[in-house]
Amino acid sequence: MSGIVYGITRYGAFVDIGGADGLIHISELSWDRVSKVTDVLQLGQEVTVKVIKLDPEQTRISLSLRQLQQDPWERLVQSMPVGSIVEGQVTKTKKYGAFLQITQGIEGLLHISELSWDHVERTEDVLKVGETVQVKVIGIDTARRRISLSLKQLSAPPATVGAGTHRQHEYPSEEDE
């Protein structure tokens, strides 16, 4: 179904779909993280949308652009299995690590303990937003849509570290954000 964008807010875009009005929530614009609706849509733009929810009691129609695109997680496991070396761009740094976009629509977590064999106090001491680095895929959880990455596993551990085993790090809880 197609429509015309007639209103933009910080949380989404309103679309006239032929006499009815629907909302595309910012989370339904793209598989990629979207900061501003205007990064994806403009007033007056014609768009093809999918109706994902009808609420006749509140006269609301929920729309999606994202659901008309292939889910990038469907092809992730084949193209980037555990053990793969991939390139990623740092999109965000946190106290517990960094998020890297490794392909369109997919971000992975590079936990602070996977940055270096040496102790790292602050993620920003090793990585900067916008920087592109090669990392190793060390875990994929397709059900939860999470991928764990490592920078340190691309190099041999120092002699003092020993063989040891790596562990897959958990994504932070919502409270840590």
Side-chain angles (χ1 to χ4, degrees):
M1 158 175 303
S2 64
I4 304 292
V5 176
Y6 72 87
I8 293 179
T9 68
R10 64 176 174 72
Y11 57 84
F14 290 96
V15 178
D16 178 347
I17 52 173
D21 297 336
L23 173 68
I24 308 171
H25 189 269
I26 193 168
S27 65
E28 288 295 327
L29 291 174
S30 173
W31 290 104
D32 289 326
R33 193 178 308 244
V34 176
S35 299
K36 294 185 333 191
V37 176
T38 54
D39 290 342
V40 179
L41 296 174
Q42 303 302 316
L43 287 174
Q45 181 177 347
E46 185 173 347
V47 293
T48 301
V49 295
K50 178 180 180 179
V51 176
I52 57 173
K53 186 177 177 188
L54 291 171
D55 185 346
E57 290 179 14
Q58 299 200 2
T59 61
R60 289 188 180 162
I61 301 172
S62 297
L63 306 171
S64 177
L65 286 175
R66 177 177 81 131
Q67 291 187 26
L68 293 175
Q69 304 162 2
Q70 182 181 14
D71 182 346
W73 284 90
E74 291 175 4
R75 55 182 194 273
L76 174 74
V77 176
Q78 288 112 12
S79 64
M80 295 180 198
V82 171
S84 298
I85 309 301
V86 298
E87 193 170 84
Q89 183 174 29
V90 179
T91 59
K92 188 184 328 182
T93 59
K94 297 286 190 177
K95 65 181 177 184
Y96 50 80
F99 287 93
L100 279 68
Q101 181 171 357
I102 56 172
T103 188
Q104 185 170 349
I106 305 273
E107 282 189 341
L109 174 64
L110 177 52
H111 192 270
I112 194 167
S113 66
E114 291 294 332
L115 290 173
S116 172
W117 291 105
D118 296 323
H119 176 74
V120 174
E121 194 68 37
R122 295 174 356 113
T123 304
E124 297 82 12
D125 292 341
V126 179
L127 296 172
K128 306 286 184 249
V129 171
E131 183 177 0
T132 300
V133 294
Q134 286 204 327
V135 291
K136 183 175 185 177
V137 176
I138 60 171
I140 299 175
D141 182 345
T142 53
R144 294 173 58 203
R145 295 180 174 259
R146 295 187 171 168
I147 184 165
S148 300
L149 307 169
S150 175
L151 186 60
K152 78 179 184 183
Q153 290 188 34
L154 293 179
S155 63
T160 57
V161 173
T165 59
H166 79 277
R167 61 182 190 145
Q168 185 174 336
H169 298 282
E170 282 295 311
Y171 271 67
S173 64
E174 295 290 324
E175 297 84 44
D176 291 335
E177 295 279 322

